[in-house]
Amino acid sequence: MSLRAVSVQETTLRPAPTGRPEPDFVAFWSTGSETIGNFACAACGRRVRSVRQLPECPSCGGLLWELESTSPFRDELAQAFPPELGAWHEEELARTAGLARGVVLGLVLAPLCWLVPLAIALSAYLLLN
């Protein structure tokens, strides 16, 4: 059994830089770094979106991350996700939003289905007595 020590840096949350400062410069972030942005594992190219701390790579256990835009796996990853996948994703988002609207509407209308008759019956009872 191999144990791996991971040092967690105490830093403030900082956004990832948007471009390369130098043509040959590639910035790396270690697991546990607090940052925001899209990153790719330096070992296998697995992509993650970080909004807090960078995790250990779920695919290979790698500890180094780089910006997705500077990753050498960028072209391979673009080919791995065909345009049809984006269209399917948008369709699923629309269906999920419709389901959420239906649930909220049901939660609002369902109590009215028994509260309105109850209020009518209670009013009639109070008027007759």
Side-chain angles (χ1 to χ4, degrees), residues 24-49:
D24 295 331
F25 178 79
V26 176
F28 290 95
W29 283 264
S30 61
T31 296
S33 296
E34 293 186 357
T35 186
I36 298 173
N38 294 328
F39 293 88
C41 175
C44 70
R46 169 80 182 253
R47 296 186 298 177
V48 297
R49 176 170 295 187

Side-chain angles (χ1 to χ4, degrees), residues 30-119:
S30 61
T31 296
S33 296
E34 293 186 357
T35 186
I36 298 173
N38 294 328
F39 293 88
C41 175
C44 70
R46 169 80 182 253
R47 296 186 298 177
V48 297
R49 176 170 295 187
S50 173
V51 293
R52 204 70 172 117
Q53 286 186 332
L54 284 170
E56 183 175 306
C57 180
S59 297
C60 70
L63 300 175
L64 281 179
W65 298 91
E66 61 185 315
L67 286 175
E68 186 178 336
S69 61
T70 62
S71 173
F73 300 104
R74 180 182 50 199
D75 296 332
E76 295 170 17
L77 292 172
Q79 293 172 359
F81 297 106
E84 299 85 33
L85 184 62
W88 173 82
H89 180 68
E90 292 300 321
E91 180 182 320
E92 287 299 308
L93 281 176
R95 289 177 54 192
T96 302
L99 176 66
R101 280 191 300 272
V103 167
V104 169
L105 188 62
L107 289 173
V108 169
L109 291 180
L112 292 178
C113 291
W114 59 271
L115 281 175
V116 169
L118 180 65

